[in-house]
Amino acid sequence: MSKNILMLAGDFAEDYETMVPFQFLSALGYTVHAVCPDKQAGDYIATAVHDFEGEQTYSEKRGHNFTLNYDFNKVNPDDYIGLVIPGGRAPEYLRLNERVIAIVRDFDSDEKPIAAVCHGAQLLAAAGVLRGKTCSAYPACAPDVRAAGGEYADIGITEAVTDGHLITAPAWPAHPAWLAQFAAALGAKISI
């Protein structure tokens, strides 16, 4: 069985929500193909750092350049066992790409684990895969989840929720819970 995981990213994806899952899953022995529409292996995306500093919403600062390692136009969902959708600003425009939507729907129809964090729920909503599902996201995305027929999980910022093959969390502070639940859904065995 394949040990490949697909990561759908784009410019101004949240830095931690891109880099940390990529590194974590790679450390577990998975091959993570990070892709972006209209970009190839060796190209990069610009990331954004979102922080919670006491204002009514998150602040945004320029993050790192994250190098993509696979060509978007070569993606075949059959080659992967799971999907990661980082949050940040990227999902708001990635959801306009018909092939991105088709990829998300393929993973959903095959019931492969899908891990989405923060604004990643915008992509799930646009793909129409939330009907009847419980989904967490950044609170500003709650209307998207509900409009798509999902139940918004209003959980703590360090928590995550699994509903079937869908693993979601509100933001990067939930990485320990979110990534542990995704690893379990993938069948990863971690022992100390």
Side-chain angles (χ1 to χ4, degrees), residues 21 112 139 162:
K112 293 178 182 177
T162 296

Side-chain angles (χ1 to χ4, degrees), residues 6-8 33-36 70-80 99 103 107:
L6 183 65
M7 176 182 281
L8 289 172
H33 287 165
V35 301
C36 176
Y70 199 73
D71 296 354
F72 178 78
N73 61 5
K74 292 183 181 177
V75 170
N76 177 352
D78 293 339
D79 295 338
Y80 301 94
R99 179 129 192 277
I103 289 169
F107 276 86

